Amino acid sequence: DGGITQSPKYLFRKEGQNVTLSCEQNLNHDAMYWYRQDPGQGLRLIYYSQIVNDFQKGDIAEGYSVSREKKESFPLTVTSAQKNPTAFYLCASSGTGGETQYFGPGTRLLVL
Amino acid sequence: KQEVTQIPAALSVPEGENLVLNCSFTDSAIYNLQWFRQDPGKGLTSLLLIQSSQREQTSGRLNASLDKSSGRSTLYIAASQPGDSATYLCAVTRNNNDMRFGAGTRLTVKP
């Protein structure tokens, strides 16, 4: 059963806390992405990785960090430096060469 | 910088109507254009992918066109159904897998 999964579905963060969102894919895709979606706005790219052990900042990387130690996994950490973290976070993966991206079900992050 | 705009932001139609959603982009140097569907609180589902060399793609009641020179794409939905109610997102991709999204059109089809 191939696909891309994200966990948890909902995540609550206390002020000053770092939290990590999980993204796993078994599609054998080289590239993986993290997007943030706010109400009434399109998706904005946070980080992307085109190969293991390499990743690049997107448009809104400040306050976030990632790692890509395995091809299947691309976790996103929302650090305490991100002052407005409440949003819907989407992970995606794709092959190389501008192929379509496949999206996970998303994680909604809320601040307590 | 690539800007993607979708008009209208929201649309409400009675069941059975044919409708058109619009997408425009500022930089015509694209690799492909894609239309996605998003249900509330869910991820994105790809509907149609048009490569830069293509003019249109069709899937069932959906037809998407691409005019790269004018920076426009349309998504045509024939004989709309209540199950079509969702947000429709347009996205353009450059050669380096850099994908830019519009803010979406929220469609409501009333029974």
Side-chain angles (χ1 to χ4, degrees), chain A residues 33 37 42 50 59 97-98 100, chain B residues 31-32 34 38 43 96-97 100 102:
Chain A
Y33 314 81
Q37 186 177 33
Q50 296 192 324
D59 297 324
T100 187
Chain B
Y31 189 79
N32 62 45
Q34 199 160 354
Q38 185 178 29
N96 59 354
N97 275 14
R100 300 284 165 163

Side-chain angles (χ1 to χ4, degrees), chain A residues 7-8 11 18-22 75-78:
Chain A
S7 62
L11 186 58
N18 292 354
V19 292
T20 297
L21 286 63
S22 169
L76 173 74
T77 297
V78 184

Side-chain angles (χ1 to χ4, degrees), chain A residues 13 19 21 34-38 44-47 55 57 59-66 75-89 109:
Chain A
R13 191 191 93 162
V19 292
L21 286 63
W34 274 106
Y35 294 92
R36 170 180 172 139
Q37 186 177 33
D38 293 282
R44 292 183 289 167
L45 183 65
I46 304 172
Y47 268 98
F55 48 82
K57 292 181 179 180
D59 297 324
I60 55 166
E62 186 175 351
Y64 300 97
S65 66
V66 294
L76 173 74
T77 297
V78 184
T79 74
S80 57
Q82 173 50 245
K83 298 307 179 188
N84 184 25
T86 298
F88 191 52
Y89 290 86
L109 177 61

